Every structure is written in C-alpha cells, then in structure tokens.
Amino acid sequence: NIGASITRTVAVIGEHLRYDIEISLAQPAPRETVNAIMASTPDVQAFEGWGEARGAVVRADGTTGEAFQLIAPLAETKLFVPQVIAGRWLLPEDAQGMVISHAFKLYEPELQVGIEMIVRMNGRAAAWKIVGIVQQLGPPVAYVSYAAFAAQANQAGMVSNVRIAARDKDAAAQLRLTQRLEQQFKQAGIPIAALSTVGQYRKVLEDHFLIIVSFLLMMSALIVLVGGLGLMTTMSIQVIERTR
C-alpha cells in the first residue's frame, strides 16, 4: 500500500509538469539565441525560457537560511500548472509576489501566505511577499514572475532555464532530442549546467522511495521470522509439558 501510494503521488505531481525536458544553463543566455535553437529543432513541440538563480532566506536576526532554487516562469506559461495548496499562483501584476513549495515549511516553519520574506539573490537582498504555497516533491523551491526576476537580477531578455515539450513522448526519442539539443547549445557557445527529462526525474524519485519500501519489507520479514520463532518455541514448550 505504501509503495502504491508513493507511485501515485509521484504520478499526480508529474501531471502538473506539461513539459518533457528541462535545461539549466550555466550562465544566462540571450533569449533570441535560445529561441533560434528551439526553432531549428523540429522535434520540439513547445518551449519556454525562464529565469533561474540561487537564493537564500535572510532571517530577522540577520542569519541566512538554506540556499534554494529560485525560478521565474513566464506569466503566460502553459508548461507548468502547479497544485496550489494555500493562497494562489502568480499573477502578471505580482511585482514582488512569491510562491514557495511546501518543503519550505521544513526549514522555515514560520513562512506562510501573507508573510514578507527577505531573499538574498546574486548578492542583493529584496523583500518578497508570499502569495501562495504549492505542493512539490524535492528540496525547497520558490517561484516569482519573470518580469520581477529580470528587474531584480538585471537579466532582462536573458534565459537561464528552458522547459521543452517534445513531439514524441517515447523515452528513447526524448533521449535523442536531449543529445541533439546539448550539441546545438554547445555549437552556439552556451554551456549547460544540467539537462534532464521528466521521466528521469520521476524515476529518480521512485527509486529513492523504493529504498523506504524495501526497508519496510525487510522489517516485515524480520518481524514474521521473530514471531514465527517465538510461536514455535511456545508451541514446543506446550507440547513437551503436555507430553510429560
């Protein structure tokens, strides 16, 4: 039951990801160059260029919290439809609005909708108001609008993260597409920091949870063995006593 529940949870969260491939660039690249690469690849059905950076929460006492991934999707994104569990998703007019994943509650329990959070990004600190919380597996992630991110990070017209929907949903075809995209970005002089498919991401999550399920199965087998030995001992003693 636990294994089936984990598989279903991963599948439900995967339904909110309308893309098949994610590319994180080692450094921001011009949007026109990225658009040209995508347009020259017929196997790409749709794509979106987002902003991406590393951020850290600045607490009231001046200390800095754990680093997290800060993602800036387009306001009109069609490739990401998150499951909002509190508040709402980002709106185009959210100049300083931020949506966090529920994993943030593990590191910063006081964070909730309506709270103003100070985030340090690229050496600069800015205040963001939490407008929503989404359910998402993995480490803490925060989302802000691309316009607000570009203004804060001084990256207008630049792309740091590319989400791609492939025409062919076959895993082998998507692998070939990732190899082709990696080569095209290399030819364009754009270094890639990470490249993965959603299928690989889901497989990694399932494999991580499989360790927990396997551990529980081992504990169950151990309990059955110990219980069987205890029952056998008790029955043997009773038989010996009654025989005597």
Side-chain angles (χ1 to χ4, degrees), residues 1-200:
N1 287 338
I2 293 176
S5 175
I6 290 173
T7 302
R8 177 57 182 164
T9 300
V10 174
V12 169
I13 292 180
E15 293 174 357
H16 304 293
L17 307 179
R18 307 297 172 84
Y19 57 89
D20 303 300
I21 300 173
E22 178 183 353
I23 301 177
S24 293
L25 305 181
Q27 58 188 24
R31 182 176 297 275
E32 293 77 8
T33 305
V34 175
N35 291 349
I37 295 175
M38 296 294 109
S40 63
T41 309
D43 293 333
V44 174
Q45 182 178 12
F47 71 92
E48 293 179 3
W50 297 0
E52 182 182 22
R54 299 293 292 178
V57 178
V58 180
R59 301 190 180 98
D61 57 1
T63 60
T64 303
E66 295 287 337
F68 62 90
Q69 188 179 23
L70 184 64
I71 301 177
L74 300 178
E76 65 279 6
T77 178
K78 298 294 190 300
L79 300 182
F80 183 53
V81 184
Q83 181 180 359
V84 180
I85 58 178
R88 58 172 175 79
W89 181 242
L90 295 170
L91 298 176
E93 59 269 19
D94 282 329
Q96 294 299 119
M98 174 178 286
V99 173
I100 63 174
S101 63
H102 72 286
F104 256 105
K105 304 292 288 184
L106 300 177
Y107 300 92
E108 308 290 340
E110 72 280 0
L111 295 182
Q112 57 184 347
V113 176
I115 294 293
E116 192 175 73
M117 181 170 65
I118 306 298
V119 176
R120 187 180 302 278
M121 176 182 61
N122 295 338
R124 300 171 58 187
W128 300 85
K129 183 178 180 181
I130 300 177
V131 298
I133 301 176
V134 296
Q135 184 176 7
Q136 185 172 345
L137 292 179
V141 180
Y143 299 91
V144 297
S145 68
Y146 177 81
F149 171 83
Q152 177 68 22
N154 195 22
Q155 295 184 12
M158 306 296 285
V159 172
S160 303
N161 186 283
V162 186
R163 309 292 171 104
I164 303 166
R167 295 187 184 278
D168 195 337
K169 303 304 180 182
D170 180 69
Q174 292 182 9
L175 180 60
R176 291 192 297 269
L177 178 57
T178 58
Q179 295 172 347
R180 180 175 181 180
L181 290 171
E182 187 175 11
Q183 182 179 5
Q184 289 179 313
F185 274 91
K186 183 178 180 179
Q187 293 175 352
I190 302 176
I192 294 178
L195 189 154
S196 62
T197 65
V198 173
Q200 293 172 338

